[in-house]
């Protein structure tokens, strides 16, 4: 079917018996991971701006909730390759249809609010936010206006060390997805027509609005990453930016240093990576400073980030709240949250990343960096703890997960730890073999990829393949003497003063023993044998 919207040049396309369809566009990728701060801009204009002005930044985050069905109807939220297939009269806004609130939406919103230290409203309501755009089939959005489900929270940032206030968290439904055609940019400004896919329309979102507590693009990017981490930990959202389930809008203003009043707020919409968050804010600080220095007056407006040009461009003059004509949603009764519901949601919240981070340092002696990486995502964190509980040395377990296991997964193209065959028990057993002095790092490096790919019992594998360190002194002596007898030229040069040849000699011994002589013992005996004949 095809449906046109007058004045917008938008066509809804759905595949019906081979007819045309629309290809969904994905946003920029963000793999999450531990906060790795990039350096701030070093452009002279940016540095000059910071000399005179103080940046003030707030962030609005939209996260798609991990529900199986949409917010107010039974349509699936599962991604469909065909456009306009996960739709029904309710989410398409047909006359006479009534929305029914999905209980999971409320539970996950409360869970997110509690995880962000918010006060949960025992009484809240839904409202209609009226605006006319082709990706909003009802011509209004069901949202929350004056009584959100959660308010007055906070989020601690581990790297910058600051605490960011959370103004509010509210529930709402998502719009559809527009694909702008006819230009290489994918932007509406220079497109000839647009295609709309309503599969996403009506999907449950939470919008999290921060206080204007951030002072740089670096801090803003860290805030986004830390928030992503928390929402993933509690299972509220997968927060995959490449799929559009986490979207960030930033509000940037500047004021002269020492001033108490905020400057004019400029919004930058739909940033699709944390790198874009940082770069767009830094550019906007420089742009606003240049404008003010030139005597220009800034106006409240919405801009978008041009990733290729590395600059913000005007999208529209910012609407005010009056433009949305909010009023209470007449088809959904007010929401009351009982103490029992609140307690049950609270009990389901796992230990959060910042708490685990601190515990890993205090209990396991991990460094700040390792503790942050081990609490980076819940799957890795749980795996780490299970391995430690089964007897693995915490530091060794952490090092293997961060190095050999990660490398093996990357080589095997395994996106998650659960997709591998490695178990907490097998990793703990492998670590114990190393800690007991039975195997060396060479054996571990050889076994980890195999355990990740195929699984298995490392204790049994080491026994079957005779991979333990040689402990018989005579056998060790025989291996060493055999290598020295074979490498007469190396031995002669070494004794003549070329001490750097100790490395190649050790390598020959390790190869002959298949890495089964403990390195310190090898070094000691090799020194003794070479000096004895000198």
């Amino acid at each position: 079917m095809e449906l046109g919207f007058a004045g917008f040049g938008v066509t809804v396309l759905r595949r019906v018996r081979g007819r045309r369809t629309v290809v969904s566009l994905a946003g920029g990728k963000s793999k999450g991971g531990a906060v790795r701060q990039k350096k701030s801009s070093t452009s002279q204009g940016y540095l000059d701006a910071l000399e005179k002005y103080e940046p003030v930044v707030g962030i609005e985050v939209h996260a798609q909730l991990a529900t199986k069905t949409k917010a107010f109807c039974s349509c699936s939220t599962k991604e469909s390759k065909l456009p306009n297939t996960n739709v029904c009269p309710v989410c398409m806004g047909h006359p006479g249809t009534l929305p029914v609130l999905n209980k999971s939406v409320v539970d996950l919103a409360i869970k997110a609010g509690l995880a962000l230290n918010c006060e949960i409203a025992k009484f809240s309501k839904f409202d209609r936010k009226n605006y006319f755009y082709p990706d909003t089939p009802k011509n209004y959005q069901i949202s929350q206006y004056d009584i959100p489900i959660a308010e007055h929270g906070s989020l601690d940032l581990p790297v910058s060390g600051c605490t960011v206030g959370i103004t509010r968290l509210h529930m709402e439904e998502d719009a559809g997805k527009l694909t702008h055609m006819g230009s290489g940019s994918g932007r509406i400004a220079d497109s000839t027509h647009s295609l709309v896919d309503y599969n996403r329309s009506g999907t449950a979102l939470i919008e999290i609005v921060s206080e204007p507590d951030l002072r740089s693009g670096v801090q803003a990017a860290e805030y986004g990453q830390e928030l992503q981490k928390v929402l993933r930990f509690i299972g509220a959202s997968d927060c995959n930016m490449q799929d559009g389930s986490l979207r960030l809008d930033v509000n940037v203003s500047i004021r002269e240093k020492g001033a108490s009043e905020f400057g004019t707020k400029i919004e930058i919409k739909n940033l699709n990576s944390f790198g874009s968050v940082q770069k767009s804010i830094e550019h906007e600080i420089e742009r606003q400073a240049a404008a003010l220095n030139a005597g220009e007056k800034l106006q409240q407006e919405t801009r978008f980030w041009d990733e290729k040009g590395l600059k913000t461009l005007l999208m529209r003059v910012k609407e005010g709240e009056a433009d949305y004509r909010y009023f209470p949603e007449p088809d959904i009764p007010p929401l009351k949250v009982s103490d029992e519901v609140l307690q049950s949601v609270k009990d389901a919240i796992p230990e959060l990343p910042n708490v685990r981070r601190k515990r890993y340092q205090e209990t396991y002696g991990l460094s700040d960096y390792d503790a942050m990486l081990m609490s980076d995502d819940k799957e890795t964190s749980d795996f780490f703890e299970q391995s430690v509980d089964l007897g693995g040395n915490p530091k060794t377990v952490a090092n293997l997960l961060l190095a050999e296991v990660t490398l093996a997964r990357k080589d095997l193209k395994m996106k998650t730890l659960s997709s591998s065959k490695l178990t907490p028990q097998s990793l703990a057993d492998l670590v114990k073999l190393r800690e007991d002095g039975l195997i060396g790092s060479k054996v571990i490096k050889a076994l980890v990829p195999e355990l990740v790919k195929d699984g298995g019992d490392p204790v049994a594998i080491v026994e079957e393949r005779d991979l333990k360190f040689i402990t018989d002194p005579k056998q060790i002596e025989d291996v060493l003497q055999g290598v020295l007898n074979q490498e007469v030229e190396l031995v002669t040069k070494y004794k003549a003063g070329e001490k750097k040849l100790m490395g190649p000699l050790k390598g020959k011994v390790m190869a002959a023993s298949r890495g089964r002589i403990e390195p310190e013992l090898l070094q000691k005996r090799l020194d003794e044998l070479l000096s004895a004949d000198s």
Side-chain angles (χ1 to χ4, degrees):
M1 65 179 179
E2 292 197 5
L3 178 62
F5 291 83
F8 286 102
V10 176
T11 305
V12 180
L13 296 180
R14 176 178 179 180
R15 184 184 293 278
V16 181
R17 295 181 183 177
R19 295 181 192 173
R20 289 190 295 167
T21 186
V22 59
V23 179
S24 297
L25 298 181
K29 294 183 179 179
S30 172
K31 296 181 180 178
V35 178
R36 297 173 180 86
Q37 288 189 322
K38 295 182 178 180
K39 293 182 180 179
S40 297
S41 171
T42 55
S43 77
Q44 193 58 50
Y46 177 73
L47 297 176
D48 290 344
L50 295 183
E51 286 291 322
K52 183 177 180 181
Y53 299 100
E54 178 190 33
V56 178
V57 180
I59 299 185
E60 299 169 12
V61 174
H62 290 87
Q64 180 178 321
L65 293 175
T67 58
K68 293 181 179 179
T69 55
K70 294 184 180 181
F72 304 108
C73 67
S74 59
C75 288
S76 173
T77 57
K78 189 175 182 180
E79 186 178 0
S80 173
K81 294 182 179 179
L82 301 178
N84 302 303
T85 51
N86 288 343
V87 295
C88 72
V90 175
C91 56
M92 291 293 287
H94 289 193
T97 58
L98 292 174
V100 177
L101 178 60
N102 183 342
K103 181 179 181 297
S104 296
V105 174
V106 180
D107 290 344
L108 290 175
I110 293 173
K111 200 173 186 181
L114 291 171
L116 295 171
N117 305 303
C118 291
E119 299 171 8
I120 304 301
K122 295 293 185 70
F123 174 89
S124 66
K125 65 181 178 67
F126 287 92
D127 302 275
R128 287 191 183 181
K129 180 180 181 180
N130 296 274
Y131 63 94
F132 303 95
Y133 208 64
D135 59 4
T136 308
K138 296 195 289 283
N139 284 333
Y140 64 84
Q141 177 191 40
I142 300 179
S143 182
Q144 291 189 294
Y145 177 48
D146 54 334
I147 312 179
I149 190 69
E151 294 181 285
H152 312 308
S154 63
L155 180 65
D156 295 328
L157 305 187
V159 177
S160 57
C162 66
T163 298
V164 181
I166 304 293
T167 308
R168 58 182 281 150
L169 179 154
H170 65 263
M171 299 173 283
E172 61 185 24
E173 61 179 339
D174 205 351
K177 185 175 185 178
L178 286 171
T179 304
H180 304 300
M181 310 296 287
S183 71
S185 68
R187 296 195 302 264
I188 192 171
D190 48 1
S191 64
T192 57
H193 64 287
S194 299
L195 306 178
V196 63
D197 178 6
Y198 287 123
N199 281 339
R200 196 174 67 187
S201 179
T203 298
L205 301 176
I206 50 173
E207 180 175 348
I208 303 166
V209 182
S210 83
E211 292 287 325
D213 292 338
L214 299 159
R215 294 295 178 266
S216 70
V218 170
Q219 280 189 352
E222 185 189 357
Y223 169 83
Q225 287 178 298
E226 192 67 14
L227 183 60
Q228 180 190 58
K229 197 178 299 183
V230 170
L231 295 178
R232 282 176 169 172
F233 242 80
I234 64 175
S237 173
D238 64 22
C239 291
N240 291 332
M241 298 184 82
Q242 68 268 27
D243 299 326
S245 55
L246 185 73
R247 307 193 291 275
L248 289 82
D249 304 332
V250 299
N251 295 304
V252 185
S253 67
I254 59 174
R255 59 186 176 188
E256 288 196 13
K257 287 187 173 181
S260 57
E261 292 186 7
F262 291 137
T264 302
K265 180 176 67 176
I266 309 294
E267 182 181 34
I268 309 172
K269 291 287 287 185
N270 293 330
L271 296 166
N272 58 17
S273 74
F274 298 125
S276 294
V277 168
Q278 179 179 334
K279 288 183 286 187
S280 65
I281 290 172
E282 291 173 350
H283 166 81
E284 190 60 22
I285 291 168
E286 183 176 345
R287 187 191 72 83
Q288 290 183 29
L292 292 177
N293 291 339
E296 298 176 21
K297 185 177 180 179
L298 297 173
Q299 64 173 346
Q300 189 171 337
E301 61 191 23
T302 300
R303 303 177 73 85
F304 68 88
W305 175 241
D306 180 358
E307 192 69 54
K308 290 184 179 179
L310 296 179
K311 59 185 177 181
T312 62
L313 298 172
L314 179 65
M315 180 183 290
R316 60 178 179 268
V317 176
K318 180 66 176 173
E319 300 95 338
E321 288 186 353
D323 296 319
Y324 292 126
R325 296 177 296 125
Y326 282 100
F327 64 86
E329 170 55 59
D331 294 332
I332 301 176
L335 182 65
K336 291 184 178 181
V337 179
S338 67
D339 291 337
E340 291 76 19
V341 168
L342 194 58
Q343 189 60 49
S344 67
V345 174
K346 190 178 294 185
D347 292 341
I349 296 177
E351 187 181 38
L352 295 174
N354 59 335
V355 180
R356 292 197 184 198
R357 212 174 283 133
K358 185 177 179 181
R359 180 166 61 83
Y360 290 172
Q361 291 175 258
E362 294 175 350
T363 305
Y364 300 138
L366 297 187
S367 66
D368 291 354
Y369 184 70
D370 285 351
M372 185 160 58
L373 291 177
M374 280 299 97
S375 59
D376 190 38
D377 69 87
K378 191 170 184 298
E379 182 182 63
T380 301
S381 186
D382 288 347
F383 194 102
F384 166 73
E385 292 204 22
Q386 290 170 34
S387 290
V388 172
D389 289 344
L390 291 166
N393 177 282
K395 292 184 180 180
T396 309
V397 170
N399 288 337
L400 286 177
L401 283 172
L402 295 174
E404 280 78 7
V405 174
T406 298
L407 183 61
R409 279 176 46 203
K410 184 178 180 181
D411 290 342
L412 294 166
K413 295 180 172 55
M414 294 178 175
K415 293 183 178 180
T416 62
L417 200 52
S418 59
S419 61
S420 77
K421 295 294 182 65
L422 183 71
T423 66
Q425 182 68 67
S426 61
L427 184 60
D429 289 343
L430 189 65
V431 168
K432 283 187 280 186
L433 287 170
R434 180 70 182 95
E435 294 295 317
D436 291 342
L438 299 176
I439 60 173
S441 57
K442 187 175 181 179
V443 172
I444 287 180
K445 289 180 179 178
L447 287 184
V448 165
E450 180 180 339
L451 294 173
V452 168
K453 181 182 179 182
D454 302 318
D457 177 2
V459 176
I461 293 172
V462 167
E463 288 288 349
E464 290 168 6
R465 300 178 190 173
D466 195 20
L467 298 175
K468 287 183 180 179
F469 279 138
I470 302 170
T471 55
D472 180 3
K474 184 178 184 308
Q475 191 176 353
I476 294 173
E477 204 76 13
D478 289 344
V479 173
L480 289 168
Q481 200 61 59
V483 169
L484 296 179
N485 291 338
Q486 288 179 355
E487 303 297 334
V488 176
E489 185 178 352
L490 283 177
V491 171
T492 302
K493 290 181 179 179
Y494 177 85
K495 290 180 178 181
E498 295 187 43
K499 301 302 181 185
K500 64 181 181 180
L501 295 177
M502 173 61 80
L505 283 170
K506 285 169 63 177
K508 298 287 185 180
V509 174
M510 291 300 287
S513 66
R514 294 185 295 127
R516 295 172 58 227
I517 299 179
E518 200 278 322
E520 289 185 9
L521 178 60
L522 186 154
Q523 179 74 56
K524 179 184 176 183
R525 289 300 299 133
L526 200 54
D527 279 338
E528 291 172 351
L529 288 173
L530 289 170
S531 60
D533 296 333
S534 297

